[in-house]
Amino acid sequence: MNRLRVFRWVALSILWALPAAAQTAPAWPHEHSDIAPSPRVTWGKLENGVRYAIAPNRTPEKLVSLRLLVLTGSLHERDDERGYAHFVEHMAFNGTRHFAAGELVKFLQREGVAFGPHVNARTFETHTLYKVDLPDATPATIADGLRVLREFADGILFEKAEVERERGVLLSEMQARRSLDLERMVALRQFQFPGTLMSDRLPSGTESAIKKATPAALRGFYDAGYRPERMVVIVAGDGAVGDIEAALRAQFGTLVARSAERPHVSPGDLPASKDVRAALHPEMRDGVQVDLMAARLRDDGPDDEERRTRNLRLELARAMIRRRLQRLTETRGQVIGGYRLNHATVGGRFAVETFSVAGNAKEWSALVGIAENEQRSAAEAGFDPTELAAAKDNLRTVIREEATRATSAPTPALAQAIATAVEEETVFVLPDERLAARLARIEEITAQDCQAAWRTEWERGVRRIFVTASPQWLKVTPEKILAAYQQSRAVPVTAAAALAEAKFAYEDFGPPGTVAQREHVADLDVWQVRFANGVRLNLKRTALEHGRVHFRLRFGEGRAAEPLEHPGLGLWAGGLVGGGLAKHSNEEMRQAMRGHAVTLNMHAADDACEITGATTGDDLRRFLQVATAYLVDPAWRVEEESRVRRLIGDIYARSRSQPDGVIQTSVFSFLAGGDTRIGLPARQMAEKHSFATLAAWLKPMLESSPIEATLVGDFDVDATIAEVAKTFGALPVRGEVAPASAAARKLKFPAPPETRRFSYPAVAGRPTTILLDWPVRDALTITEQRHLRLLAGILGDRLRVQIREEKGATYVLDASLAYSETFPGLASLRCRLDVATKSAKKIAEQVSDIGSELAKKGVTAEELGRAQAQAVAGARQQLSRNEYWLDCLDDSQTHPGRLDEVRSLERDYAAATPADLGALAKRYLGPKNLFRFFIEPKTAK
């Protein structure tokens, strides 16, 4: 009898001996609603109170996603238990009834389940969610997965040594999560919800409570919170409902409550007074953000038709306001640079409507006025019928697309959607099941309905104004903020102007191009086409996302061809799309595209400029017309320059208080010998450019460089070729593929070994980031690259065991292969850890020793087997993703070997031997081939 069979027999023999206890289970949301739940989901309750939902799904085949939703989170902690819900979640992977510490992860790895992507857990204020995704599910492995969830439900051991080790991991995670964003969120919560649990019940808890936690105390919280009636088991994927239900009953039917239920504690209430209040939050940033908020108790009653109608009216109102704000960013770009409208449920008890605008700190009072004025304009003056018509057209398109794609929803997303619906107490219905009802409801909604819904939402709430800015640029008091708000309220609002009709001006690009060559690659079901003008087209039809089409177009050389005298110019490439078209302003484009699913972006990759996007099969013609228009007639509007410059500034501003900013600007630059095309150049270099500079660089590529376009998704092959012939195929003759300039792509690399230290401004308590980099200067075959990825996985697993689990020294841990095909020799095996500053040097030495041990002794057959199981399972899942096929095919005519890389994907991982990986480890992981970087936080003043 093998080990797995022993586990199954022992688990069942113990569980059958336990008596079941009747519990009172909460009702499903649909039991108190006039909305019927999805008939494609089997909803059930066990006698002990455990609820379950089973959703058959075959996207992709053989994958099954399991979720254990425990309706216990940080809001259920007592004052001295802050962080216990999160601590318990961590302990689920550190020793359970049938898995000794460290064995559960290994057991799942052998099944092809990768720790992190496929098995993980997360704690929230209201609940804790455990996930296990089985990549090659059978009735036996599904039963095993359910037993793992049962281990989480009542089998955690809380052994003293494991609690001590995991305590260090939690404290490390607490350090790693400290950031400006977290500080701002805490300050915002305290301002919005003073005196409630929402202001001091973050899932991470407090350092003092984590340090004082004992195994007995954690066990007490676990037993009280992990009761059968607080649990929901969700199974989605490729399996028979009857078999899954029987396995689920066998596993969870015997679960019993182990402790008395704790009395319910309310998170608290909002202040009785509805007086508007303001606050200034000091934060290191370039501009200012103004958040105008209305918070209320979440007292909407059950999820029913009436509530959904109200929400739909609000959704349309927000869409119309967003469009108004978008116009403002284009007409008053020196004042307002960004906006956000958001509705959120906080802690399951409060509903918050947030109206955010951001921009120039010197214009803070104008931004307060914009937020107040636009919010009040919608509430008092309402909406123009033309605004509503455009919003309705766009919403219809969205919900039709959602309905089409619902029949091919990825299994993990389906499981997550069910869990979210249960936790939020909403009726779970798939979009296609409600399509007709939603479309009919949209038809009935008037502009007055939207105005009333918006006005009511704000009248019900307690208003707050939260201003975030650097004290270097802005020194104002809450009284001054309120004065600016009241001054704006004294200004009468006017009705919005009607939207003008706009007809798309780019529908004819000349006579359709002719096909010069067409080939079907039968084994991969890929079509490769070349038009007479030189344009190359790759097509793969899939049923992975019904109705969805993914697109990528490559031209030019990308950042590899970035002029050395214009460092960072590639960051401006998105301005090609953002700058609009010569015959249409951005506002006219929005009107011309109403009701069409057309999403386009552009960026400069290392080896090409890329226009990317997605659409539907019905809108493919219009999508291709728009993409072609940006290629042949971009506007390069000067007034858009400041917006692009601000977006680039935001990239730097967001990263400067994070270690990633140092890695991008300093570490990568060092590893590339100072070449500004790698990572991010200095901010002042990147911000100084203009559209004139960008146009001078891109125009030659746009006009004559080779084009290779790729479409992957749900479309008709012949019809798509015909549409491409009318667009890209109709362009003037393109040049042939030019050989890459070897001299331009050759970098001067530093010689290892070397240690370097960098610092960055950070909030107090951040950890030191260690980055260890073993350079790989050789040109590698695709097989060698994949073997190195296996080696990186094994290195990361050893770090997980020896640094995280045994020492409890880190939470953030990653090991990977970085490999550039564009710049020869720019490659490395790399690992990153966030650790306490006082232990950084020692941990770095231990990591170096782990690498040296691999170089000396190689890998074991057992750990290679686990790594291969995960990699092979991952390869199979990649083949079931449209994004993977897009990546593989997007330059497959320029580089024909790409197709062989697809064919060998699974084989390369499965065929690797310990000797293969040992040779690579010996070649690269020695201490003399090592760069060590210490990225240390310096508390910002």
Side-chain angles (χ1 to χ4, degrees):
M1 185 180 292
N2 64 35
R3 179 180 178 280
L4 184 56
R5 293 297 180 189
V6 170
F7 162 74
R8 291 174 181 154
W9 183 85
V10 171
L12 285 175
S13 65
I14 292 175
L15 295 177
W16 285 335
L18 294 174
Q23 305 291 340
T24 302
W28 292 111
H30 56 257
E31 293 178 316
H32 297 294
S33 175
D34 54 3
I35 300 173
S38 171
R40 304 209 287 267
V41 179
T42 296
W43 309 91
K45 301 178 188 177
L46 302 181
E47 290 75 7
N48 58 5
V50 173
R51 289 180 289 167
Y52 62 87
I54 304 172
N57 197 55
R58 292 177 60 81
T59 311
E61 295 180 353
K62 297 186 177 180
L63 177 67
V64 169
S65 291
L66 311 176
R67 301 291 184 268
L68 173 63
L69 174 64
V70 183
L71 296 174
T72 296
S74 61
L75 285 176
H76 300 93
E77 299 164 348
R78 294 168 177 159
D79 286 344
D80 60 344
E81 296 176 328
R82 284 177 284 182
Y84 276 26
H86 190 208
F87 209 143
V88 167
E89 172 233 300
H90 273 238
M91 292 306 300
F93 300 93
N94 288 275
T96 60
R97 186 183 298 116
H98 296 108
F99 291 100
E103 288 302 311
L104 175 58
V105 172
K106 290 182 179 180
F107 167 74
L108 291 169
Q109 286 175 337
R110 284 189 285 270
E111 298 285 339
V113 179
F115 183 64
H118 303 142
V119 59
N120 214 327
R122 190 175 176 188
T123 304
F124 302 82
E125 285 95 342
T126 57
H127 65 284
T128 305
L129 184 65
Y130 296 88
K131 81 167 190 175
V132 177
D133 291 337
L134 303 170
D136 191 16
T138 64
T141 57
I142 292 172
D144 287 335
L146 289 169
R147 292 185 184 104
V148 169
L149 294 189
R150 174 63 190 265
E151 294 287 291
F152 298 155
D154 71 342
I156 305 175
L157 296 180
F158 301 101
E159 295 172 323
K160 184 177 181 180
E162 296 306 316
V163 169
E164 288 303 316
R165 279 193 280 264
E166 202 60 28
R167 192 192 315 276
V169 174
L170 284 159
L171 293 172
S172 176
E173 180 180 358
M174 195 176 292
Q175 284 189 325
R177 293 192 184 280
R178 284 174 180 152
S179 65
L180 295 178
D181 287 343
L182 180 62
E183 285 193 345
R184 182 180 181 279
M185 191 266 281
V186 171
L188 180 58
R189 286 276 184 93
Q190 292 172 346
F191 176 61
Q192 282 181 315
F193 311 112
T196 72
L197 293 182
M198 294 311 308
S199 62
D200 67 353
R201 281 299 188 276
L202 294 180
S204 55
T206 65
E207 191 171 303
S208 60
I210 297 300
K211 287 182 175 179
K212 293 176 183 177
T214 65
L218 292 169
R219 164 67 71 180
F221 180 84
Y222 177 58
D223 287 347
Y226 281 53
R227 297 169 55 84
E229 71 275 14
R230 301 190 69 82
M231 296 185 185
V232 183
V233 181
I234 298 158
V235 183
D238 194 356
V241 172
D243 293 343
I244 293 172
E245 193 167 21
L248 192 151
R249 283 185 171 277
Q251 196 55 238
F252 281 87
T254 54
L255 185 68
V256 297
R258 306 176 304 282
S259 173
E261 186 174 7
R262 290 184 175 184
H264 173 73
V265 177
S266 170
D269 291 310
L270 290 168
S273 171
K274 285 199 173 186
D275 291 342
V276 181
R277 295 179 185 176
L280 174 67
H281 176 67
E283 179 182 284
M284 182 177 59
R285 58 166 57 209
D286 287 348
V288 62
Q289 179 173 323
V290 176
D291 293 323
L292 176 60
M293 300 165 291
R296 61 175 175 81
L297 290 178
R298 188 187 175 202
D299 53 0
D300 300 320
D303 179 24
D304 56 15
E305 294 286 3
E306 180 182 355
R307 190 168 104 181
R308 293 206 175 188
T309 299
R310 185 166 60 248
N311 289 341
L312 197 58
R313 293 168 178 167
L314 281 169
E315 188 175 352
L316 286 167
R318 294 187 195 105
M320 290 184 279
I321 297 169
R322 288 189 186 101
R323 182 153 179 181
R324 294 179 181 183
L325 292 170
Q326 180 64 45
R327 289 198 299 273
L328 278 176
T329 64
E330 294 162 359
T331 58
R332 299 185 64 186
Q334 296 302 319
V335 176
I336 175 173
Y339 62 89
R340 180 173 59 89
L341 263 68
N342 182 52
H343 178 85
T345 298
V346 181
R349 180 166 177 79
F350 304 109
V352 182
E353 195 79 31
T354 303
F355 196 121
S356 298
V357 291
N360 188 334
K362 295 180 181 179
E363 301 285 353
W364 70 269
S365 60
L367 286 167
V368 171
I370 286 173
E372 188 284 326
N373 191 269
E374 293 298 327
Q375 181 277 320
R376 185 163 50 93
S377 175
E380 295 181 3
F383 304 98
D384 188 87
T386 59
E387 292 182 291
L388 181 60
K392 283 185 174 183
D393 282 348
N394 291 331
L395 183 56
R396 289 188 194 98
T397 298
V398 169
I399 66 173
R400 286 188 180 114
E401 185 180 3
E402 289 175 345
T404 301
R405 294 169 62 191
T407 54
S408 59
T411 288
L414 178 60
Q416 181 59 49
I418 296 173
T420 299
V422 174
E423 187 277 321
E424 294 183 347
E425 298 180 327
T426 58
V427 180
F428 179 77
V429 184
L430 287 160
D432 60 316
E433 297 164 349
R434 295 279 296 174
L435 177 61
R438 292 188 74 189
L439 290 175
R441 190 179 294 118
I442 288 174
E443 290 301 319
E444 297 169 355
I445 293 174
T446 67
Q448 290 72 27
D449 292 334
C450 296
Q451 177 187 0
W454 179 257
R455 182 176 59 243
T456 300
E457 189 71 9
W458 283 84
E459 288 176 347
R460 295 170 66 193
V462 177
R463 293 194 194 184
R464 297 289 182 260
I465 310 168
F466 194 74
V467 177
T468 307
S470 169
Q472 178 183 2
W473 308 118
L474 182 61
K475 293 180 175 67
V476 298
T477 62
E479 290 75 17
K480 288 186 177 180
I481 296 170
L482 284 174
Y485 175 78
Q486 295 299 344
Q487 183 178 357
S488 177
R489 286 188 61 80
V491 178
V493 294
T494 57
L499 298 179
E501 292 295 326
K503 184 179 186 303
F504 188 56
Y506 298 89
E507 296 183 346
D508 186 359
F509 298 94
T514 58
V515 173
Q517 182 179 336
R518 172 171 169 165
E519 178 184 356
H520 183 227
V521 183
D523 63 323
L524 300 177
D525 195 19
V526 168
W527 290 91
Q528 294 189 318
V529 179
R530 184 171 59 82
F531 291 93
N533 65 350
V535 169
R536 293 168 169 82
L537 174 65
N538 306 304
L539 300 168
K540 180 169 177 62
R541 183 180 182 183
T542 76
L544 300 173
E545 297 174 88
H546 291 171
R548 189 74 165 171
V549 181
H550 296 263
F551 168 86
R552 186 176 297 166
L553 181 140
R554 292 165 56 88
F555 64 93
E557 287 191 83
R559 292 197 67 181
E562 185 180 270
L564 296 180
E565 68 273 20
H566 297 300
L569 185 58
L571 296 173
W572 283 68
L576 174 72
V577 173
L581 292 167
K583 297 180 182 179
H584 290 305
S585 67
N586 284 329
E587 172 61 15
E588 289 169 342
M589 274 295 290
R590 283 190 288 273
Q591 190 68 348
M593 291 299 111
R594 57 183 277 189
H596 292 287
V598 175
T599 304
L600 276 175
N601 293 288
M602 181 177 163
H603 72 283
D606 282 350
D607 60 341
C609 291
E610 297 182 345
I611 297 177
T612 61
T615 186
T616 65
D618 292 340
D619 275 324
L620 182 57
R621 171 181 296 175
R622 178 52 49 90
F623 180 90
L624 292 171
Q625 291 171 347
V626 173
T628 308
Y630 278 112
L631 205 65
V632 300
D633 201 23
W636 312 109
R637 288 190 173 86
V638 175
E639 57 267 28
E640 291 293 322
E641 281 186 10
S642 60
R643 186 181 62 83
V644 175
R645 188 174 289 109
R646 184 169 50 245
L647 291 173
I648 292 171
D650 287 345
I651 294 173
Y652 285 90
R654 286 195 302 269
S655 65
R656 68 183 173 192
S657 61
Q658 297 289 334
D660 288 338
V662 178
I663 293 171
Q664 287 286 334
T665 58
S666 300
V667 174
F668 287 171
S669 175
F670 168 79
L671 291 173
D675 195 297
T676 57
R677 296 171 295 177
I678 310 304
L680 291 174
R683 177 173 178 173
Q684 61 270 26
M685 295 180 180
E687 286 184 321
K688 69 180 181 180
H689 306 304
S690 67
F691 270 10
T693 312
L694 179 65
W697 179 48
L698 287 183
K699 274 185 176 180
M701 302 185 207
L702 292 168
E703 292 170 357
S704 61
S705 70
I707 288 176
E708 187 160 355
T710 301
L711 289 111
V712 175
D714 188 3
F715 53 79
D716 179 270
V717 171
D718 291 333
T720 300
I721 293 173
E723 292 299 335
V724 174
K726 297 173 186 176
T727 50
F728 299 113
L731 298 178
V733 174
R734 313 297 294 190
E736 290 298 319
V737 178
S741 171
R745 300 190 180 198
K746 187 175 181 180
L747 305 178
K748 296 180 181 179
F749 299 112
E754 187 171 347
T755 298
R756 291 211 164 195
R757 295 182 180 274
F758 302 96
S759 65
Y760 67 99
V763 299
R766 284 280 304 179
T768 288
T769 295
I770 306 170
L771 191 70
L772 278 76
D773 188 281
W774 291 269
V776 176
R777 301 290 182 234
D778 305 310
L780 302 177
T781 65
I782 188 63
T783 300
E784 289 173 321
Q785 292 176 45
R786 288 167 176 163
H787 288 179
L788 276 174
R789 289 192 171 90
L790 285 172
L791 181 60
I794 291 170
L795 171 63
D797 205 50
R798 288 195 181 187
L799 295 177
R800 177 185 62 81
V801 173
Q802 297 182 40
I803 305 298
R804 174 173 171 159
E805 292 187 0
E806 294 180 2
K807 293 182 168 57
T810 186
Y811 172 74
V812 175
L813 185 156
D814 178 65
S816 61
L817 170 70
Y819 189 83
S820 172
E821 294 182 344
T822 306
F823 298 98
L826 185 62
S828 61
L829 283 163
R830 184 178 295 160
C831 66
R832 170 183 169 169
L833 304 90
D834 285 0
V835 301
T837 299
K838 64 182 180 181
S839 60
K841 181 179 179 182
K842 182 178 180 181
I843 295 295
E845 291 171 351
Q846 292 171 339
V847 175
S848 176
D849 290 343
I850 292 171
S852 298
E853 181 77 4
L854 278 168
K856 292 176 182 177
K857 298 183 180 179
V859 306
T860 68
E862 189 273 339
E863 63 186 349
L864 174 58
R866 286 188 283 118
Q868 286 175 307
Q870 297 169 74
V872 169
R876 291 172 182 167
Q877 289 188 46
Q878 281 184 294
L879 293 170
S880 66
R881 295 173 59 245
N882 280 332
E883 292 85 350
Y884 171 76
W885 286 103
L886 195 68
D887 288 340
C888 293
L889 300 178
D890 69 358
D891 63 346
S892 59
Q893 292 191 54
T894 305
H895 301 286
R898 291 281 188 256
L899 299 183
D900 286 333
E901 292 177 9
V902 178
R903 296 182 178 103
S904 64
L905 177 63
E906 186 176 335
R907 181 178 67 247
D908 279 344
Y909 287 124
T913 67
D916 293 331
L917 270 62
L920 292 171
K922 183 178 181 180
R923 190 188 312 172
Y924 299 118
L925 286 180
K928 293 183 179 180
N929 185 47
L930 176 63
F931 292 109
R932 302 195 308 174
F933 303 100
F934 294 88
I935 304 165
E936 300 165 337
K938 299 296 182 184
T939 302
K941 301 295 184 182

